[in-house]
Amino acid sequence: MRAIRTALIGVGGFGKVHIRHLVELSGQGLLEVTAFSDINPDVNPEGWQQLMTLGGAPYSDYKTMLDRHPELDLVVIASPIPMHKEMAMYAFSRGIHVMLEKPPAVTIQDLDEMLRAQAGSSSLCQVNFQNTSGAAFRELLRIIQEGQIGDVLHVTGVGLWKRTQAYYDRTPWAGKLIHKGNYVLDGTINNPLAHLLNNCLLVAGSGNIEESTPLDIQAELYHANAIEGEDTSCLRIRTQSGAIVHFYASLCHVGESIPSITVKGTQGELVWTYNNTLNVRTDGSQPSSRSFANEDYVHNMYLNTLAAIQDESVALLSSLQQCRNFVLAVNGAFESSGETHPISEGFLVRKDEGNTVFTEITGIEADVRRAAAEGVLFSELSVPWAVAGRLFSLDGYHSFDLFRS
């Protein structure tokens, strides 16, 4: 098989991770770097030089790059979130395959416009929800699809991470709902713990797109930090399959715990974690725990993308169509919550950490663990700072238009 001719848009931020993989895969003869673009050549001089050393032609404008290289097979898009739609659609118009950073789009109307554009092209589009690629998660889906735990009833995702003010200072759009007139909706559900929510939805539908479709949602979105978006969230989603998803996340936890998904079926239970482990309990058999070898999930996504480009029988691990359910759930969560509710100072502890500050929500881990165990939202636990969201139907929902003045 020939090397896939590849370009990269965005050499800073997560683009640095992509450069590392492009260097590795180029060395293995699986792809060749044809070109790359970034509006700021000073953002990552080392990465810029690495790509040039591989033979990549530098550009400051991605459209010029794609126009001048009709021979391209694949473009990797690692730009800021609001640029994803425009860039992916331009690649589709040129018949170039796309590997797109998550989230693929912020609003359901943008995602649907992208899907229509892709349908009119010959382009594949892989969304880099890399946590779909690990051996433990693929095994979890296989067990569910084989019916080993019966029908899936409940899916519970829990993610507790720590992010300081420096995290929000790293880029102008961090923690924003809208930046420069474009939706961002940056927060737990749409950025750092988006992988967790996306995987919860996949599990609820046993990997089937239609069965994973959210029907309605009730959500509570909060912020302890001085941001517009949410740093703490809880969601309840009813899916087409009948399975209920509960999702709990916070970036205001004093320590880093490993995000996990618990799947309860009519005949057993599964627990998957971010560190590639899977615990299995099925009726009539002894519980088992398996730790899979360390994997580079982004590397997995590249290998899957390259294989799908060269063999149409290879299915993408995270297609653009598959990600529609994720965008639908994110938009529905904001519709349900109505706003990101501030948590009052009496429930917060602010700590200086070097040149930055960390904001902790007092008792957040206990509240999340209890809510997850009982399958309820924070407001249903009578957490003092909690505000109930409304039950929001996603039937026929096709346009998000909140927060614009």
Side-chain angles (χ1 to χ4, degrees):
M1 292 188 288
R2 66 172 176 82
I4 298 299
R5 295 162 297 203
T6 305
L8 172 67
I9 302 175
V11 303
F14 204 77
K16 296 177 182 178
V17 174
H18 284 286
I19 291 172
R20 175 166 56 85
H21 288 280
L22 292 175
V23 170
E24 179 182 357
L25 293 165
S26 175
Q28 296 171 0
L30 296 177
L31 60 75
E32 60 181 53
V33 176
T34 301
F36 64 97
S37 73
D38 198 294
I39 59 173
N40 182 5
D42 299 322
V43 69
N44 181 13
E46 181 181 352
W48 192 278
Q49 187 58 51
Q50 284 179 296
L51 294 170
M52 289 187 67
T53 300
L54 292 175
Y59 292 87
S60 59
D61 178 74
Y62 78 93
K63 290 184 178 179
T64 301
M65 178 183 73
L66 298 183
D67 289 346
R68 291 185 181 175
H69 293 278
E71 76 278 14
L72 279 169
D73 299 303
L74 172 68
V75 60
V76 178
I77 300 176
S79 63
I81 295 170
M83 298 302 295
H84 287 184
K85 171 193 164 186
E86 173 189 311
M87 291 177 170
M89 288 179 62
Y90 198 80
F92 297 158
S93 74
R94 296 295 184 269
I96 301 170
H97 302 300
V98 174
M99 185 171 179
L100 180 63
E101 264 310 313
K102 59 81 185 166
V106 181
T107 68
I108 196 64
Q109 60 267 34
D110 280 355
L111 194 283
D112 285 342
E113 189 176 351
M114 292 167 70
L115 285 170
R116 288 191 293 270
Q118 186 192 13
S121 76
S122 58
S123 302
L124 298 174
C125 184
Q126 175 96 281
V127 180
N128 194 30
F129 275 115
Q130 65 261 29
N131 280 40
T132 60
S133 75
F137 188 73
R138 304 317 298 179
E139 178 69 3
L140 175 143
L141 289 179
R142 185 190 68 79
I143 289 171
I144 293 172
Q145 290 163 355
E146 290 182 353
Q148 293 186 36
I149 64 165
D151 296 330
V152 175
L153 300 176
H154 300 283
V155 179
T156 304
V158 174
L160 293 167
W161 278 352
K162 176 181 179 179
R163 295 293 183 267
T164 66
Q165 185 60 40
Y167 173 80
Y168 298 105
D169 293 339
R170 78 191 193 284
T171 182
W173 52 263
K176 297 290 180 61
L177 296 172
I178 295 174
H179 178 62
K180 293 185 177 180
N182 296 305
Y183 279 116
V184 182
L185 303 185
D186 185 51
T188 61
I189 59 175
N190 207 34
N191 197 357
L193 287 158
H195 299 280
L196 187 67
L197 177 57
N198 183 65
N199 280 17
C200 283
L201 291 168
L202 283 174
V203 170
S206 304
N208 179 280
I209 296 174
E210 183 176 349
E211 291 295 297
S212 299
T213 303
L215 300 181
D216 55 49
I217 185 168
Q218 192 167 1
E220 300 173 10
L221 307 179
Y222 307 95
H223 65 91
N225 289 277
I227 58 174
E228 297 175 0
E230 37 79 30
D231 52 38
T232 301
S233 58
C234 64
L235 286 61
R236 179 164 54 224
I237 305 168
R238 185 170 62 96
T239 65
Q240 181 69 48
S241 69
I244 304 297
V245 172
H246 286 92
F247 175 89
Y248 307 91
S250 182
L251 304 180
C252 302
H253 179 239
V254 70
E256 291 263 342
S257 66
I258 301 171
S260 65
I261 294 177
T262 300
V263 187
K264 293 185 178 180
T266 54
Q267 298 175 33
E269 180 177 295
L270 305 170
V271 179
W272 168 83
T273 65
Y274 263 32
N275 62 346
N276 220 15
T277 66
L278 182 63
N279 296 321
V280 181
R281 182 191 60 77
T282 58
D283 293 352
S285 63
Q286 291 295 318
S288 65
S289 179
R290 183 176 176 187
S291 294
F292 292 77
N294 289 335
E295 296 180 81
D296 189 316
Y297 296 156
V298 176
H299 182 77
N300 290 349
M301 297 301 280
Y302 267 98
L303 293 182
N304 175 244
T305 303
L306 300 179
I309 289 172
Q310 302 197 72
D311 183 352
E312 62 182 14
S313 69
V314 175
L316 292 175
L317 291 172
S318 183
S319 68
L320 187 63
Q321 177 65 51
Q322 187 181 77
C323 295
R324 187 180 191 277
N325 291 329
F326 168 81
V327 177
L328 191 61
V330 169
N331 286 188
F334 279 94
E335 295 277 11
S336 171
S337 186
E339 63 178 289
T340 57
H341 301 281
I343 298 176
S344 61
E345 289 292 327
F347 303 102
L348 307 178
V349 177
R350 303 193 192 276
K351 303 174 183 177
D352 291 330
E353 296 197 1
N355 295 324
T356 190
V357 175
F358 169 62
T359 299
E360 176 189 0
I361 301 174
T362 304
I364 187 61
E365 180 173 14
D367 289 336
V368 164
R369 300 297 181 191
R370 183 182 163 201
E374 297 182 20
V376 296
L377 303 178
F378 294 147
S379 63
E380 295 165 343
L381 276 183
S382 299
V383 173
W385 43 261
V387 180
R390 62 179 176 131
L391 182 64
F392 186 80
S393 173
L394 291 163
D395 182 30
Y397 182 76
H398 58 81
S399 182
F400 180 86
D401 194 30
L402 292 180
F403 309 125
R404 293 197 184 278
S405 56

